[in-house]
Amino acid sequence: MTGIVSHDGEKRLVLVSGRAHPDLASDVAKHLDIDLLPTTAYDFANGEIYTRFSESVRGADAFVLQSHASPVINHWIMEQLLMVDALKRASAKTITVVAPFYGYARQDKKSRGREPISARLLADMFRTAGADRIMSVDLHTAQIQGFFDGPVDHLWAMPILVDYVRGRVDVSNVTVVSPDAGRIRVAEQWAAKLGGGPLAFVHKTRDVRTANKAVANRVVGDVEGRSCVLVDDLIDTAGTISEAVRVLKEAGAKDVIVAATHGILSDPAVDRLQSCGVREVVITDTLPIEDEKRFDSLTVLSIAPLVARAVREVFDDGSVTSLFDGNA
Protein backbone atom coordinates (compact mmCIF):
# COMPACT_ATOMS: atom_id res chain seq x y z
CA MET A 1 0.00 0.00 0.00
CA THR A 2 1.01 3.62 -0.55
CA GLY A 3 2.80 5.57 2.19
CA ILE A 4 5.31 5.22 5.02
CA VAL A 5 4.90 2.83 7.93
CA SER A 6 6.55 3.81 11.24
CA HIS A 7 9.37 1.71 12.69
CA ASP A 8 7.07 0.10 15.25
CA GLY A 9 4.44 -0.62 12.60
CA GLU A 10 1.84 1.35 14.53
CA LYS A 11 1.46 4.32 12.18
CA ARG A 12 1.12 4.90 8.44
CA LEU A 13 1.66 8.16 6.55
CA VAL A 14 -0.20 8.90 3.32
CA LEU A 15 0.21 12.00 1.16
CA VAL A 16 -2.83 13.19 -0.79
CA SER A 17 -2.71 15.84 -3.50
CA GLY A 18 -5.36 18.02 -5.06
CA ARG A 19 -5.10 19.24 -8.64
CA ALA A 20 -3.94 22.81 -8.00
CA HIS A 21 -0.18 22.17 -7.91
CA PRO A 22 0.63 18.58 -8.86
CA ASP A 23 4.31 19.31 -9.53
CA LEU A 24 4.88 20.43 -5.95
CA ALA A 25 3.02 17.41 -4.59
CA SER A 26 5.15 15.07 -6.70
CA ASP A 27 8.34 16.77 -5.47
CA VAL A 28 7.26 16.49 -1.82
CA ALA A 29 6.43 12.81 -2.33
CA LYS A 30 9.83 12.27 -3.94
CA HIS A 31 11.60 13.82 -0.95
CA LEU A 32 9.57 11.58 1.36
CA ASP A 33 10.41 8.60 -0.87
CA ILE A 34 6.76 7.61 -1.23
CA ASP A 35 4.04 7.63 -3.90
CA LEU A 36 1.06 9.93 -3.75
CA LEU A 37 -2.16 8.23 -2.68
CA PRO A 38 -4.02 7.23 -5.88
CA THR A 39 -6.91 9.68 -6.19
CA THR A 40 -9.76 10.27 -8.60
CA ALA A 41 -10.86 13.90 -8.94
CA TYR A 42 -12.91 15.59 -11.62
CA ASP A 43 -15.53 18.29 -12.18
CA PHE A 44 -19.12 17.74 -13.15
CA ALA A 45 -20.58 19.83 -15.96
CA ASN A 46 -22.04 22.31 -13.48
CA GLY A 47 -18.71 22.81 -11.70
CA GLU A 48 -19.28 20.50 -8.73
CA ILE A 49 -16.21 18.50 -7.68
CA TYR A 50 -15.97 14.75 -7.21
CA THR A 51 -13.10 13.11 -5.35
CA ARG A 52 -12.35 9.55 -4.18
CA PHE A 53 -9.28 7.68 -2.92
CA SER A 54 -8.42 4.35 -4.54
CA GLU A 55 -6.84 2.79 -1.44
CA SER A 56 -7.89 2.38 2.16
CA VAL A 57 -6.82 5.17 4.53
CA ARG A 58 -8.30 3.63 7.67
CA GLY A 59 -6.06 4.45 10.64
CA ALA A 60 -3.61 6.46 8.52
CA ASP A 61 -2.04 9.85 9.25
CA ALA A 62 -3.14 11.70 6.12
CA PHE A 63 -1.55 14.88 4.77
CA VAL A 64 -3.67 16.72 2.18
CA LEU A 65 -1.53 19.03 0.05
CA GLN A 66 -3.24 21.76 -1.92
CA SER A 67 -1.98 25.26 -2.62
CA HIS A 68 -4.76 27.80 -3.03
CA ALA A 69 -3.79 29.02 -6.48
CA SER A 70 -5.39 31.65 -8.68
CA PRO A 71 -7.43 32.20 -10.74
CA VAL A 72 -9.82 29.53 -9.37
CA ILE A 73 -8.72 29.76 -5.76
CA ASN A 74 -12.20 28.99 -4.41
CA HIS A 75 -12.37 25.84 -6.54
CA TRP A 76 -9.13 24.50 -5.07
CA ILE A 77 -10.17 25.35 -1.51
CA MET A 78 -13.44 23.47 -2.03
CA GLU A 79 -11.58 20.49 -3.48
CA GLN A 80 -9.31 20.35 -0.43
CA LEU A 81 -12.31 20.57 1.90
CA LEU A 82 -13.96 17.65 0.09
CA MET A 83 -10.77 15.60 0.34
CA VAL A 84 -10.61 16.25 4.07
CA ASP A 85 -14.26 15.21 4.42
CA ALA A 86 -13.63 12.04 2.40
CA LEU A 87 -10.65 11.14 4.61
CA LYS A 88 -12.68 11.69 7.77
CA ARG A 89 -15.49 9.46 6.49
CA ALA A 90 -12.92 6.83 5.44
CA SER A 91 -11.65 6.64 9.06
CA ALA A 92 -8.25 8.29 8.68
CA LYS A 93 -6.66 8.57 12.12
CA THR A 94 -5.41 12.15 11.71
CA ILE A 95 -5.83 14.68 8.89
CA THR A 96 -3.35 17.52 8.26
CA VAL A 97 -4.20 20.24 5.77
CA VAL A 98 -0.99 21.25 3.98
CA ALA A 99 -1.63 24.60 2.30
CA PRO A 100 1.73 26.05 1.22
CA PHE A 101 -0.18 29.19 0.23
CA TYR A 102 -3.16 29.79 2.53
CA GLY A 103 -6.02 31.50 0.72
CA TYR A 104 -7.66 34.64 2.08
CA ALA A 105 -4.71 35.25 4.42
CA ARG A 106 -4.75 38.98 3.63
CA GLN A 107 -8.27 39.20 5.03
CA ASP A 108 -7.16 38.55 8.60
CA LYS A 109 -8.88 41.49 10.30
CA LYS A 110 -11.59 44.09 9.81
CA SER A 111 -10.26 47.31 8.32
CA ARG A 112 -13.75 48.80 7.98
CA GLY A 113 -17.19 48.06 9.35
CA ARG A 114 -19.30 45.19 7.97
CA GLU A 115 -16.31 43.26 6.56
CA PRO A 116 -15.70 39.52 7.07
CA ILE A 117 -12.58 38.04 8.65
CA SER A 118 -12.19 35.57 5.80
CA ALA A 119 -8.97 33.92 7.01
CA ARG A 120 -10.78 32.89 10.21
CA LEU A 121 -13.74 31.55 8.25
CA LEU A 122 -11.44 29.39 6.14
CA ALA A 123 -9.84 27.91 9.27
CA ASP A 124 -13.30 27.16 10.68
CA MET A 125 -14.30 25.41 7.45
CA PHE A 126 -11.26 23.13 7.55
CA ARG A 127 -11.94 22.29 11.19
CA THR A 128 -15.57 21.50 10.44
CA ALA A 129 -14.58 19.32 7.48
CA GLY A 130 -12.44 17.21 9.80
CA ALA A 131 -8.90 18.63 9.77
CA ASP A 132 -6.88 18.04 12.94
CA ARG A 133 -3.94 20.21 11.95
CA ILE A 134 -2.90 22.89 9.45
CA MET A 135 0.53 23.39 7.90
CA SER A 136 1.38 26.45 5.82
CA VAL A 137 4.33 28.53 4.66
CA ASP A 138 4.80 32.21 5.55
CA LEU A 139 1.29 33.19 6.55
CA HIS A 140 0.54 36.84 5.77
CA THR A 141 0.30 37.52 9.51
CA ALA A 142 1.25 35.25 12.41
CA GLN A 143 -2.11 35.82 14.14
CA ILE A 144 -3.77 33.48 11.62
CA GLN A 145 -2.26 30.60 13.62
CA GLY A 146 -4.78 31.43 16.34
CA PHE A 147 -7.76 31.16 14.00
CA PHE A 148 -7.61 27.34 13.85
CA ASP A 149 -8.74 25.34 16.86
CA GLY A 150 -5.84 22.89 16.73
CA PRO A 151 -2.10 22.74 16.00
CA VAL A 152 -0.74 25.00 13.24
CA ASP A 153 2.72 24.46 11.79
CA HIS A 154 3.90 27.79 10.43
CA LEU A 155 6.87 27.10 8.14
CA TRP A 156 9.39 29.75 7.06
CA ALA A 157 10.83 29.99 3.57
CA MET A 158 13.42 32.48 4.82
CA PRO A 159 16.30 29.97 5.17
CA ILE A 160 15.85 28.87 1.54
CA LEU A 161 15.62 32.42 0.23
CA VAL A 162 18.49 33.74 2.38
CA ASP A 163 20.85 30.96 1.31
CA TYR A 164 20.26 31.84 -2.33
CA VAL A 165 20.39 35.63 -1.96
CA ARG A 166 23.59 35.49 0.12
CA GLY A 167 25.38 34.13 -2.94
CA ARG A 168 24.04 36.93 -5.13
CA VAL A 169 25.19 40.00 -3.17
CA ASP A 170 28.19 41.49 -1.41
CA VAL A 171 27.03 41.16 2.20
CA SER A 172 29.29 44.05 3.26
CA ASN A 173 27.25 46.43 1.09
CA VAL A 174 23.66 45.24 1.62
CA THR A 175 20.64 47.06 2.97
CA VAL A 176 17.57 44.94 3.68
CA VAL A 177 14.38 46.81 2.84
CA SER A 178 10.85 46.25 4.05
CA PRO A 179 8.15 47.32 1.56
CA ASP A 180 6.19 48.85 4.43
CA ALA A 181 6.46 49.48 8.16
CA GLY A 182 4.46 46.33 8.95
CA ARG A 183 7.22 43.93 7.87
CA ILE A 184 10.13 45.56 9.66
CA ARG A 185 10.47 42.56 12.00
CA VAL A 186 10.95 40.21 9.04
CA ALA A 187 13.49 42.61 7.52
CA GLU A 188 15.42 42.60 10.82
CA GLN A 189 15.66 38.81 10.69
CA TRP A 190 16.86 38.96 7.11
CA ALA A 191 19.49 41.58 7.98
CA ALA A 192 20.79 39.45 10.85
CA LYS A 193 21.20 36.48 8.51
CA LEU A 194 22.94 38.61 5.86
CA GLY A 195 25.62 39.93 8.18
CA GLY A 196 23.84 42.56 10.24
CA GLY A 197 23.71 45.36 7.67
CA PRO A 198 21.41 48.39 7.89
CA LEU A 199 17.65 48.34 7.49
CA ALA A 200 15.33 50.57 5.50
CA PHE A 201 11.63 50.65 4.81
CA VAL A 202 9.42 52.20 2.18
CA HIS A 203 6.74 54.50 3.49
CA LYS A 204 3.54 53.75 1.60
CA THR A 205 -0.12 54.60 1.76
CA ARG A 206 -2.98 52.26 0.87
CA ASP A 207 -6.64 52.91 0.15
CA VAL A 208 -8.51 50.22 2.09
CA ARG A 209 -11.50 50.75 -0.22
CA THR A 210 -9.55 49.63 -3.30
CA ALA A 211 -7.89 46.23 -3.77
CA ASN A 212 -4.26 46.01 -4.91
CA LYS A 213 -3.74 49.77 -4.72
CA ALA A 214 -0.77 51.21 -2.80
CA VAL A 215 1.47 54.23 -3.31
CA ALA A 216 5.15 54.23 -2.31
CA ASN A 217 6.07 57.71 -1.09
CA ARG A 218 9.70 57.63 0.08
CA VAL A 219 12.38 55.38 1.53
CA VAL A 220 13.50 55.70 5.16
CA GLY A 221 17.04 54.43 5.71
CA ASP A 222 20.48 54.26 4.09
CA VAL A 223 20.30 52.86 0.55
CA GLU A 224 22.50 55.15 -1.55
CA GLY A 225 25.17 53.17 -3.39
CA ARG A 226 24.11 49.94 -1.73
CA SER A 227 22.62 46.67 -2.97
CA CYS A 228 19.08 46.47 -1.61
CA VAL A 229 17.24 43.25 -0.81
CA LEU A 230 13.53 44.01 -0.79
CA VAL A 231 11.67 41.31 1.17
CA ASP A 232 7.96 40.49 1.30
CA ASP A 233 5.70 37.49 1.84
CA LEU A 234 3.95 37.62 -1.54
CA ILE A 235 3.81 39.34 -4.90
CA ASP A 236 0.34 39.65 -6.36
CA THR A 237 -0.04 42.40 -8.98
CA ALA A 238 3.44 43.71 -8.04
CA GLY A 239 2.14 47.25 -7.56
CA THR A 240 3.72 47.62 -4.11
CA ILE A 241 6.98 45.95 -5.12
CA SER A 242 7.48 47.81 -8.41
CA GLU A 243 6.76 51.14 -6.72
CA ALA A 244 9.20 50.29 -3.93
CA VAL A 245 11.90 49.42 -6.49
CA ARG A 246 11.32 52.75 -8.22
CA VAL A 247 11.64 54.68 -4.95
CA LEU A 248 14.83 52.80 -4.01
CA LYS A 249 16.43 53.48 -7.39
CA GLU A 250 15.50 57.16 -7.16
CA ALA A 251 17.12 57.23 -3.69
CA GLY A 252 20.41 56.04 -5.19
CA ALA A 253 20.32 52.28 -4.61
CA LYS A 254 23.02 50.46 -6.60
CA ASP A 255 20.65 47.61 -7.48
CA VAL A 256 17.62 45.84 -6.05
CA ILE A 257 16.85 42.14 -5.54
CA VAL A 258 13.30 41.23 -4.58
CA ALA A 259 12.80 38.13 -2.41
CA ALA A 260 9.29 36.85 -1.65
CA THR A 261 7.80 33.51 -0.70
CA HIS A 262 4.60 33.41 -2.74
CA GLY A 263 4.50 34.33 -6.42
CA ILE A 264 0.83 34.93 -7.20
CA LEU A 265 1.82 37.15 -10.14
CA SER A 266 -1.63 38.33 -11.18
CA ASP A 267 -1.74 40.58 -14.24
CA PRO A 268 -0.01 42.97 -14.77
CA ALA A 269 2.68 41.72 -12.35
CA VAL A 270 5.05 40.32 -14.98
CA ASP A 271 5.03 43.54 -17.02
CA ARG A 272 5.60 45.64 -13.90
CA LEU A 273 8.48 43.49 -12.66
CA GLN A 274 10.17 43.44 -16.06
CA SER A 275 10.00 47.22 -16.42
CA CYS A 276 10.65 48.46 -12.87
CA GLY A 277 14.44 48.08 -12.96
CA VAL A 278 14.77 45.20 -10.49
CA ARG A 279 17.93 43.11 -10.89
CA GLU A 280 16.34 39.79 -9.88
CA VAL A 281 13.07 38.51 -8.44
CA VAL A 282 13.41 35.43 -6.22
CA ILE A 283 10.35 33.43 -5.16
CA THR A 284 9.52 29.86 -4.15
CA ASP A 285 7.17 27.41 -5.83
CA THR A 286 4.47 27.42 -3.14
CA LEU A 287 2.22 28.33 -6.08
CA PRO A 288 2.45 27.04 -9.65
CA ILE A 289 4.31 29.44 -11.95
CA GLU A 290 3.05 28.98 -15.49
CA ASP A 291 5.38 29.48 -18.45
CA GLU A 292 3.72 32.76 -19.41
CA LYS A 293 4.53 34.16 -15.94
CA ARG A 294 8.24 33.34 -16.14
CA PHE A 295 10.79 35.92 -17.29
CA ASP A 296 14.57 36.19 -17.49
CA SER A 297 15.16 37.83 -14.11
CA LEU A 298 12.79 35.48 -12.22
CA THR A 299 14.28 32.71 -10.05
CA VAL A 300 11.99 30.05 -8.58
CA LEU A 301 13.31 27.99 -5.64
CA SER A 302 11.81 24.68 -4.52
CA ILE A 303 9.86 24.61 -1.27
CA ALA A 304 9.39 20.82 -1.47
CA PRO A 305 12.36 19.83 0.75
CA LEU A 306 11.09 22.06 3.56
CA VAL A 307 7.50 20.81 3.33
CA ALA A 308 8.65 17.18 3.20
CA ARG A 309 10.86 17.59 6.28
CA ALA A 310 8.01 19.23 8.19
CA VAL A 311 5.58 16.45 7.22
CA ARG A 312 8.07 13.84 8.39
CA GLU A 313 8.63 15.64 11.71
CA VAL A 314 4.90 15.73 12.38
CA PHE A 315 4.50 12.05 11.48
CA ASP A 316 7.46 11.06 13.68
CA ASP A 317 6.20 13.19 16.61
CA GLY A 318 9.32 15.32 16.19
CA SER A 319 9.86 19.06 16.33
CA VAL A 320 8.94 21.30 13.41
CA THR A 321 10.50 24.22 15.30
CA SER A 322 13.87 22.45 15.14
CA LEU A 323 13.87 23.01 11.37
CA PHE A 324 14.29 26.74 12.00
CA ASP A 325 16.89 26.73 14.80
CA GLY A 326 14.13 26.90 17.38
CA ASN A 327 12.85 30.24 16.06
CA ALA A 328 9.60 29.17 14.35
Side-chain angles (χ1 to χ4, degrees), residues 72-326:
V72 288
I73 180 173
N74 298 323
H75 191 84
W76 301 136
I77 290 171
M78 189 65 192
E79 182 175 85
Q80 192 173 28
L81 285 165
L82 292 173
M83 287 183 163
V84 170
D85 183 75
L87 288 164
K88 177 181 69 174
R89 297 178 189 280
S91 300
K93 181 181 179 182
T94 65
I95 303 170
T96 299
V97 165
V98 183
F101 176 75
Y102 183 95
Y104 291 90
R106 284 174 286 183
Q107 299 183 46
D108 61 313
K109 62 182 180 296
K110 290 176 64 174
S111 299
R112 306 174 70 205
R114 300 177 298 281
E115 288 182 342
I117 302 180
S118 307
R120 170 59 192 266
L121 175 61
L122 189 56
D124 288 343
M125 290 166 65
F126 280 123
R127 188 61 166 170
T128 300
D132 301 291
R133 188 182 202 104
I134 288 180
M135 181 182 295
S136 190
V137 182
D138 285 348
L139 292 166
H140 188 61
T141 56
Q143 73 186 37
I144 294 174
Q145 296 174 84
F147 292 172
F148 183 73
D149 186 18
V152 176
D153 297 305
H154 188 196
L155 312 183
W156 290 4
M158 186 186 298
I160 296 171
L161 292 165
V162 168
D163 284 348
Y164 177 84
V165 171
R166 188 184 291 114
R168 303 289 290 164
V169 296
D170 175 4
V171 294
S172 66
N173 190 42
V174 168
T175 295
V176 177
V177 183
S178 170
D180 54 45
R183 296 195 68 78
I184 285 291
R185 175 59 182 153
V186 174
E188 288 177 342
Q189 293 167 338
W190 265 85
K193 292 180 180 296
L194 287 177
L199 291 173
F201 75 92
V202 176
H203 178 267
K204 74 174 183 182
T205 54
R206 181 182 294 277
D207 186 349
V208 297
R209 296 167 297 182
T210 306
N212 301 111
K213 184 68 175 179
V215 177
N217 297 315
R218 64 185 183 277
V219 60
V220 179
D222 179 20
V223 301
E224 187 171 359
R226 302 181 67 84
S227 293
C228 292
V229 179
L230 181 62
V231 298
D232 209 348
D233 65 318
L234 60 85
I235 304 174
D236 191 354
T237 61
T240 295
I241 291 295
S242 59
E243 280 288 294
V245 172
R246 176 187 61 79
V247 168
L248 290 169
K249 299 285 279 187
E250 289 176 355
K254 177 184 174 184
D255 54 28
V256 182
I257 292 178
V258 171
T261 302
H262 310 294
I264 303 174
L265 303 183
S266 306
D267 285 337
V270 172
D271 291 338
R272 284 173 169 171
L273 293 171
Q274 287 182 301
S275 61
C276 70
V278 67
R279 172 182 154 196
E280 187 174 5
V281 179
V282 186
I283 59 176
T284 74
D285 63 348
T286 55
L287 290 162
I289 311 296
E290 297 84 0
D291 290 342
E292 60 269 22
K293 291 183 178 181
R294 295 178 182 265
F295 49 96
D296 290 343
S297 57
L298 178 70
T299 298
V300 182
L301 306 178
S302 175
I303 202 72
L306 174 63
V307 174
R309 289 171 62 197
V311 166
R312 191 63 202 241
E313 288 292 338
V314 170
F315 177 66
D316 291 337
D317 296 324
S319 171
V320 174
T321 303
S322 67
L323 302 178
F324 308 99
D325 299 322

